[in-house]
Amino acid sequence: MNDTLTVRLGIVGTGMISEAHAAALKVVPEIQLAGITDINPAAAEGFARKWGTDPYPSYDALLEAVDAVILCTPNDLHEPMAKQALAAGKHLLIEKPMALSGAGAESIRQGYADAGLALMVGHTHRHADYARAVRQTIDDGLVGDVRSVRIAITGGWIWAGWQAWVLDPTRSGGHAFHNGVHLYDLACWWTGSRAERVYAVGQQLTSAALDIDDYLCATLMMESGATAVCEISRGERPKQVNAFEIVVHGTDATLVRRWDSDGLVVFNDDAAGPRPAPVTDNFARQLRVFAAAINGGDAYPSPAAAVHATAIAEAVERSARGQRVEEVTL
Amino acid sequence: MNAVHSSAVDATLLVDRFRGPAIGLASAARMGQFGLPHAMHGELVDAGSADQLAARAVDVVTAVLGPCQGDVVAAGSDDAWTLTIRWRRGVVVTLLVGRGDGVVHRYRVLGSNGQAYADLTGPAFELVGTTSTRVGFGPTPEDRAGSGTTDLAEVERVIAAARRSLESGQAEPSVS
């Protein structure tokens, strides 16, 4: 035991991603789960029973009881609730997207920097085995200078029914904000460059009545001269097939993650296709970085990188709507 | 320096649509075995300049999806191009092509009723020893000469639009 074990952390929201954070906290003893709150009190009580913590009746009450919070609320609430946490002097791990605009994200980053509090954004892919291996391969000089990147994550599961807030662009920001930011952040990390311009194509596959794109393909044109094609889909068939492909083409070699690179492919009566291999818990890795940041270390990825990913998402949504090349402004 | 002033497409390079997996992919697409495609993505890393490689890849896509009718956005250099193409309304194509020592040549088609993955370096065995190599078998594209024709004019239209996009930095129409 040491002094770093005293961080008391609260989770805001009881959705799927909150469960992932709570499970990760079980293996990160530097941080203690000290409370949960949700707009639905019954959900908070159920979550508290499951994970052995205390339910709080409101966000304000939770903020009074903890040193840090993980914000797992719908995307449109991220910015105002982050600013509430900042005003209360609490360290913050905020789920992606940081905000629904680059300017909003930057205002959060600046506030936390001025206050000297830890701020981290849930770009969990940065902490994933595969993403670290790609970056290490590039750092080892095996690819050479990166010319182009492809990241494709495609599947067939839409976000529940019409009640799902993710389907409301005013709440989620659309697919670029909700999932795209993961890919845009990886593209910047792997190319070692910021995005300058984007060109995006969006489609409504599952239903013509969708107000967001459930298929979104964005090409990022980086300051380095490299490009990155970032493709995400929730509308593919057969719906059980989840494809995950990576290409990093460089001056010396091309790194390829194929559809069967996890090493297991299953054909049975229900479905056919690749199965994911067991991985290291990237949520636990992320929490350890957050614990270190609270104790004066660096947040990773940096808040500035997360602001840029948000600005890219903003440009991607503009490009998909306007069908033209758009500048990234932050 | 962008390869925007290179010569016209060399028709003798457009043989990849006659590789076995490309023939199968195009045939399945024409028969609607994936429903109607909404996206096709490919990578071609091989010897050659970026515009030559792009022409080869565009010819394969043309064999699968038919003629391009939409806008082209291109970015890159003499050694690598990335093309993002609204192939027709509701269908997007992206192609990553680049000069390299090894060969990567593959395509992925996403359709309303299924998906397909084609590796145009096949059919081939893996020969594993101190190094790993691929040993191809079966007819080559040259063996199939005369079994069909390429769409040179269609490919040239797309590549011309790509060259214009490299200069303008904007989406350029493939048809006037």
Side-chain angles (χ1 to χ4, degrees), chain A residues 147-150 152 154 197 199-203 205 215 217 219 221 225 227-229 231 233 235-238 241-247 249-252 254 256-259 319-320 322-325 327, chain B residues 38-43 45 71-77 79-86 90-92 94-101 103-104 106 108 110-115 117 119 121 168-171:
Chain A
R147 290 169 171 162
S148 53
V149 170
R150 180 188 298 286
T154 64
R197 297 176 301 138
Y199 183 66
V201 179
Q203 300 171 352
L205 298 177
Y215 177 90
C217 182
T219 299
M221 291 160 259
T227 58
V229 177
E231 179 195 5
S233 180
E236 302 309 323
R237 294 294 176 273
V241 173
N242 293 297
F244 181 21
E245 300 223 325
I246 295 167
V247 177
H249 170 59
T251 51
D252 296 338
T254 303
V256 179
R257 187 198 194 284
R258 297 181 188 279
W259 64 278
S319 177
Q323 303 191 10
R324 58 179 178 265
V325 175
E327 306 281 334
Chain B
H38 70 85
M40 181 169 174
H41 305 283
E43 297 92 34
V45 177
D71 290 352
V72 179
V73 170
S77 65
D79 292 320
W81 280 11
T82 296
L83 303 182
T84 309
I85 307 170
R86 291 178 187 271
V91 181
V92 61
T94 68
L95 299 169
L96 271 57
V97 303
R99 190 194 303 275
D101 292 329
V103 179
V104 178
R106 58 188 206 150
R108 181 165 47 95
L110 302 174
S112 58
N113 292 90
Q115 307 174 31
Y117 295 73
D119 183 347
T121 66
S168 71
Q170 301 299 321

Side-chain angles (χ1 to χ4, degrees), chain B residues 133-173:
Chain B
T133 56
R134 288 168 69 79
V135 179
F137 59 86
T140 67
E142 289 74 21
D143 293 334
R144 296 191 176 98
S147 63
T149 58
T150 61
D151 291 316
L152 178 62
E154 300 293 343
V155 173
E156 285 184 327
R157 277 195 306 107
V158 176
I159 297 302
R163 293 185 205 284
R164 291 196 303 276
S165 178
L166 282 164
E167 287 205 331
S168 71
Q170 301 299 321
E172 296 288 347

Side-chain angles (χ1 to χ4, degrees), chain A residues 93-145:
Chain A
L93 171 51
I94 182 173
E95 265 303 328
K96 53 75 198 168
M98 201 171 173
L100 293 188
S101 70
E106 173 57 18
S107 69
I108 297 169
R109 186 205 66 77
Q110 188 64 57
Y112 267 85
D114 292 345
L117 292 166
L119 170 65
M120 211 164 132
V121 181
H123 284 293
T124 46
H125 287 241
R126 281 263 196 147
H127 307 279
D129 294 338
Y130 83 87
R132 290 154 55 103
V134 170
R135 175 65 193 216
Q136 190 63 52
T137 304
I138 295 168
D139 284 349
D140 289 344
L142 300 176
V143 172
D145 295 332

Side-chain angles (χ1 to χ4, degrees), chain A residues 62-272:
Chain A
L62 179 75
L63 285 172
E64 285 183 17
V66 298
D67 308 308
V69 290
I70 303 179
L71 204 48
C72 306
T73 52
N75 299 347
D76 59 322
L77 300 177
H78 286 183
E79 183 180 344
M81 294 183 83
K83 289 178 176 172
Q84 270 183 270
L86 171 64
K90 307 303 175 184
H91 305 291
L92 175 64
L93 171 51
I94 182 173
E95 265 303 328
K96 53 75 198 168
M98 201 171 173
L100 293 188
S101 70
E106 173 57 18
S107 69
I108 297 169
R109 186 205 66 77
Q110 188 64 57
Y112 267 85
D114 292 345
L117 292 166
L119 170 65
M120 211 164 132
V121 181
H123 284 293
T124 46
H125 287 241
R126 281 263 196 147
H127 307 279
D129 294 338
Y130 83 87
R132 290 154 55 103
V134 170
R135 175 65 193 216
Q136 190 63 52
T137 304
I138 295 168
D139 284 349
D140 289 344
L142 300 176
V143 172
D145 295 332
V146 176
R147 290 169 171 162
S148 53
V149 170
R150 180 188 298 286
I151 313 171
I153 300 178
T154 64
W157 53 281
I158 197 70
W159 301 273
W162 286 115
Q163 303 90 336
W165 61 265
V166 182
L167 301 183
D168 180 349
T170 66
R171 303 217 67 194
S172 69
H175 215 161
F177 284 92
H178 194 65
N179 289 117
V181 286
H182 278 309
L183 280 59
Y184 312 148
D185 177 61
L186 290 176
C188 293
W189 188 37
W190 291 343
T191 61
S193 180
R194 292 163 58 86
E196 203 168 45
R197 297 176 301 138
V198 301
Y199 183 66
V201 179
Q203 300 171 352
Q204 291 95 36
L205 298 177
T206 305
S207 168
L210 280 168
D211 291 322
I212 66 164
D213 300 315
D214 55 348
Y215 177 90
L216 183 60
C217 182
T219 299
L220 280 50
M221 291 160 259
M222 318 301 288
E223 291 175 353
S224 67
T227 58
V229 177
C230 302
E231 179 195 5
I232 44 177
S233 180
R234 289 283 184 270
E236 302 309 323
R237 294 294 176 273
K239 64 186 300 183
Q240 297 90 346
V241 173
N242 293 297
F244 181 21
E245 300 223 325
I246 295 167
V247 177
V248 181
H249 170 59
T251 51
D252 296 338
T254 303
L255 178 75
V256 179
R257 187 198 194 284
R258 297 181 188 279
W259 64 278
D260 60 348
S261 284
D262 274 5
L264 177 63
V265 181
V266 174
F267 300 90
N268 64 20
D269 290 340
D270 301 319

Side-chain angles (χ1 to χ4, degrees), chain A residues 273-298:
Chain A
R275 297 280 175 92
V279 295
T280 309
D281 184 352
N282 49 346
F283 282 83
R285 270 200 185 120
Q286 177 176 258
L287 279 174
R288 291 190 186 98
V289 176
F290 185 48
I294 289 171
N295 285 288
D298 290 330

